[in-house]
Amino acid sequence: MESATAAETAAMPRGVAHLKDELDIVIPTIRNLDFLEMWRPFFQPYHLIIVQDGDPTKTIKVPEGFDYELYNRNDINRILGPKASCISFKDSACRCFGYMVSKKKYIFTIDDDCFVAKDPSGKPINALEQHIKNLLCPSTPFFFNTLYDPFADGADFVRGYPFSLREGVPTAVSHGLWLNIPDYDAPTQLVKPMERNTRFVDAVLTIPKGTLFPMCGMNLAFDRDLIGPAMYFGLMGDGQPIGRYDDMWAGWCIKVICDHLGLGVKTGLPYIFHSKASNPFVNLRKEYKGIFWQEEIIPFFQSVSLPKDCTSVQKCYVELSKMVKEKLSKVDPYFDKLADAMVTWIDAWDELNPTGSSAAKVANGKAK
C-alpha cells in the first residue's frame, strides 16, 4: 500500500474549491511542511493556520504558493497573555489555538505525517472535499439507518425509518479515518507492530446519540460556529502527566454536548494515508496513566446529564468543567487543573471571539 504522489495529485482535474472563503486548515507541526506539496491541488485555494510546537526560534519552511499564517509559542503567549497556560506545549494539542484564532465557519485539521490516500480504483482522495460533504449534509443521531448515511449517493432511509426523523439535524463534526498506520494505543502497537489498515470501507455513519467514540485529531473537520468552543484539546505534553489523550478528551466533551444540543457527529470517509508509526515505547510513557484513567473517565462521560438551561456550547462546556472538577479530581489532581484550564479556554475563546461575531450569534440548538 502506498500514498498518492505529488505528481498524481497534480494530474487530478481541478474542481471547485467549496467553502473556500469559509474554511481554515489548521496544522500543528515541529518540522518543515514539505508534505503540503502532495496536498497542493486540494489545499492551495484555502487559508492555512500553522501552529508551531516546540522551539519558537526554529524556522518552519512552508512551500511557496500557500496562503498561511504561522503562530509559535511566543505568539500564543503574546496573544493570550496569562490565559496561554491553557494551550499545551510540546504536544500536538496546541492545534486548538488555531481553532480559537480562526474567523471562519469551518475547520479542517490534519497532521503533517498524513498523506493523500488512494481509493480502491487508485484515484487520489480529496479528503477535504468529503469532509465538506459530511458537514453540509444532516446527521441522524436519533435512529440508526442500516444503509448508513441516507444522504449519500445511491442511499436513502430504509423501510421502517420514522418519517418524523428524516429531516435529520445539523452536522457539527466529521471524523475521518486512515489507511496504512492505524491509530492504535501503545499496547496494541507493541503486540501488532506490523499491522497495517488496508481496508477501505465506503461508508459514513452518524454516531448515535448516547454513544461515545475515540476521536482522532489527525483527519478531522468541524463546524466552528456549532461546536468550536468545545474543541479544546486539554492539557497535554510538557509539564503534564499524560499525553496522546488530547483528541480523546475533546471527542468525549463534544459528543456529550452535541447530544445535549441536538447536533450530529459523523465518522467514516474520508481516508488519509497515515505515513509513519510513532514510537510505541514513547507512546506508552505518555499514555500509561490515561489507559488506567479512561476506565473511570468514560463512565463519567456516559453519566453526564447537562441542565436544560445550558443552551449554548460555552454554557455546556463550563458546566462540564464543574462536573470534571467534582467527579474526576478524586481520580487524580490533574483533573482539578484540567477543569480550571477548560474555563480559561472558554474565557480566552470569548475574548478573541466577542459577542457579535458569527460564533456568538449562532443558534446552537435546543437542549434535548
Side-chain angles (χ1 to χ4, degrees), residues 47-262:
H47 179 68
L48 312 182
I49 298 177
I50 300 163
V51 185
Q52 178 180 345
D53 194 19
D55 182 2
T57 65
K58 181 179 178 180
T59 299
I60 299 293
K61 294 180 180 178
V62 181
E64 290 186 6
F66 286 92
D67 172 36
Y68 71 93
E69 53 192 304
L70 188 151
Y71 298 93
N72 61 32
R73 191 68 200 189
N74 292 339
D75 299 315
I76 294 172
N77 292 338
R78 173 178 52 82
I79 292 167
L80 295 184
K83 295 184 179 71
S85 62
C86 72
I87 304 297
S88 298
F89 183 55
K90 295 186 178 178
D91 193 280
S92 64
C94 67
R95 78 177 77 221
C96 61
F97 177 77
Y99 311 159
M100 183 186 286
V101 296
S102 171
K103 301 304 176 191
K104 303 291 178 61
K105 177 173 171 56
Y106 300 100
I107 295 287
F108 169 54
T109 185
I110 187 170
D111 284 5
D112 59 16
D113 62 351
C114 293
F115 299 166
V116 178
K118 296 179 182 179
D119 68 17
S121 72
K123 179 183 175 183
I125 298 168
N126 184 346
L128 179 53
E129 181 179 56
Q130 180 65 49
H131 275 300
I132 290 170
K133 287 180 182 178
N134 293 349
L135 289 171
L136 295 183
C137 284
S139 293
T140 52
F142 304 125
F143 201 90
F144 188 79
N145 191 55
T146 51
L147 266 184
Y148 311 125
D149 186 353
F151 301 101
D153 293 340
D156 210 324
F157 293 99
V158 297
R159 181 171 56 89
Y161 199 99
F163 283 87
S164 59
L165 295 177
R166 294 191 182 194
E167 185 178 345
V169 301
T171 300
V173 179
S174 171
H175 178 256
L177 299 174
W178 346 269
L179 294 173
N180 197 38
I181 306 294
D183 186 30
Y184 284 162
D185 54 37
T188 308
Q189 281 184 291
L190 286 166
V191 298
K192 295 183 173 182
M194 303 307 293
E195 185 156 292
R196 300 294 181 264
N197 181 34
T198 59
R199 295 172 57 229
F200 182 98
V201 180
D202 186 6
V204 178
L205 308 177
T206 295
I207 301 174
K209 181 180 180 180
T211 300
L212 297 174
F213 75 112
M215 189 175 83
C216 173
M218 65 181 164
N219 176 23
L220 179 72
F222 60 93
D223 186 322
R224 186 175 176 275
D225 285 356
L226 289 180
I227 200 62
M231 268 297 177
Y232 175 47
F233 276 41
L235 290 175
M236 303 283 151
D238 194 51
Q240 307 302 333
I242 186 174
R244 286 173 55 84
Y245 273 85
D246 51 336
D247 42 8
M248 298 292 129
W249 182 261
W252 297 325
C253 291
I254 63 97
K255 188 57 170 64
V256 297
I257 291 174
C258 283
D259 286 352
H260 176 74
L261 294 177

Side-chain angles (χ1 to χ4, degrees), residues 259-272:
D259 286 352
H260 176 74
L261 294 177
L263 302 171
V265 178
K266 293 182 179 180
T267 188
L269 301 178
Y271 284 93
I272 51 85

